[in-house]
Amino acid sequence: MTRIDQTFARLRAEGRKAFVTYIMGGDPTFETSLEVMKGLPAAGVDIIELGMCFTDPMADGPTIQAAGQRALDHGMNTDRVFEMVRAFRTADDSTPIVLMGYYNPVYARGVDRFLAEAKEAGIDGLIIVDLPPEEDSELCLPAQAAGLNFIRLATPTTDAARLPQVLQNTSGFVYYVSINGITGSAAPTADSVGPEVARIKAATDLPVVVGFGISTPEAAEVMAGVGDGCVVGSAIVKLIGEGRPAAEVLARVAELAEGAHRG
């Protein structure tokens, strides 16, 4: 079992939902980003999604695009992402870390090298948003052979014919994108998300975590309530982009976590 599997097993035993947060690695600087990352578990975060900055983030909205550019401007790269994870792991060997990003940086590094370094650094899973199931042999299957979960996204447009392909080699959890569009878009509703989550859960034993458009503790509670947890990203990245101190960012994260854990 990976740390992700262990975390969901523990949460199920405790009767709690998962609170997952996204931050961009190196935003706005390596040091500030690491400070926030180190504080996330104590603020109530169960799983950390760590963004890999990329020059062409086609699935991301303006908030996360800007975060990636800030990180790039301060010299963030794949080496430094791994360095950040290693630094986090010196004090925390239990919180799962999922790298989220695009395939180009993985391909440029070489799949075998990337996976070996990710595993050594202490990464538990990957979300690579621009690799469809038809390309599972490219990264998904090698990642799972290396002991990493490969987490796939399902969306409102993933119909009954497509869903089995999406789920076929997915592990860890399914990330349900609750709205059509880019990150940071309009808030989803339980009426629209609930039936879709139920449809996915009928087809898999994996946990289903709901993300996109969640920015308040109330929304986190509702979305965690219809799934096995929720993801908050842009709302946190926005505070970092405004230059808020790490303590203020983490205080807001704690409020969001309380909402998610009530779900």
Side-chain angles (χ1 to χ4, degrees):
M1 292 178 70
T2 66
R3 292 184 185 93
I4 296 170
D5 300 326
Q6 292 167 357
T7 294
F8 277 107
R10 173 179 56 81
L11 291 170
R12 279 194 299 270
E14 296 172 355
R16 291 199 300 122
K17 301 299 181 73
F19 182 52
V20 185
T21 56
Y22 171 96
I23 61 170
M24 177 64 71
D27 173 35
T29 66
F30 181 94
E31 293 75 18
T32 300
S33 186
L34 181 58
E35 182 182 2
V36 171
M37 186 180 181
K38 286 182 173 180
L40 292 174
V45 173
D46 299 301
I47 298 172
I48 297 169
E49 289 180 5
L50 184 63
M52 297 186 292
C53 53
F54 179 52
T55 53
D56 189 20
M58 59 187 178
D60 294 316
T63 297
I64 292 179
Q65 284 192 27
Q69 191 59 54
R70 289 190 297 268
L72 288 167
D73 290 344
H74 285 90
M76 199 64 180
N77 55 31
T78 305
D79 283 331
R80 301 214 76 195
V81 169
F82 291 149
E83 182 183 345
M84 189 172 169
V85 174
R86 291 188 195 99
F88 177 87
R89 285 284 178 231
T90 61
D92 187 318
D93 194 43
S94 59
T95 303
I97 299 172
V98 176
L99 281 188
M100 186 169 186
Y102 299 86
Y103 183 52
N104 185 281
V106 179
Y107 178 80
R109 199 171 192 84
V111 167
D112 291 344
R113 178 186 172 191
F114 180 92
L115 292 174
E117 291 178 345
K119 184 68 175 176
E120 179 273 330
I123 290 159
D124 304 288
L126 301 175
I127 300 175
I128 305 298
V129 299
D130 55 347
L131 269 183
E134 287 78 7
E135 304 298 333
D136 274 357
S137 61
E138 190 79 15
L139 180 62
C140 172
L141 297 180
Q144 303 210 75
L148 299 173
N149 288 129
F150 198 88
I151 296 144
R152 191 78 72 188
L153 278 65
T155 75
T157 60
T158 305
D159 61 19
R162 183 65 172 168
L163 185 60
Q165 294 175 281
V166 170
L167 297 175
Q168 182 175 5
N169 292 314
T170 299
S171 63
F173 62 92
V174 179
Y175 187 138
Y176 179 65
V177 177
S178 58
I179 50 177
N180 290 319
I182 53 177
T183 59
S185 301
T189 65
D191 288 345
S192 62
V193 174
E196 290 299 299
V197 170
R199 180 170 69 91
I200 295 167
K201 290 181 72 66
T204 181
D205 292 330
L206 291 171
V208 179
V209 176
V210 180
F212 279 47
I214 302 168
S215 60
T216 67
E218 294 75 21
E221 179 178 358
V222 171
M223 290 299 110
V226 299
D228 296 296
C230 71
V231 184
V232 177
S234 294
I236 298 167
V237 173
K238 182 174 183 289
L239 294 176
I240 295 170
E242 292 171 353
R244 307 293 182 90
E248 185 177 338
V249 174
L250 292 168
R252 182 58 175 169
V253 170
E255 294 174 355
L256 291 159
E258 288 180 8
H261 290 149
R262 289 194 300 268

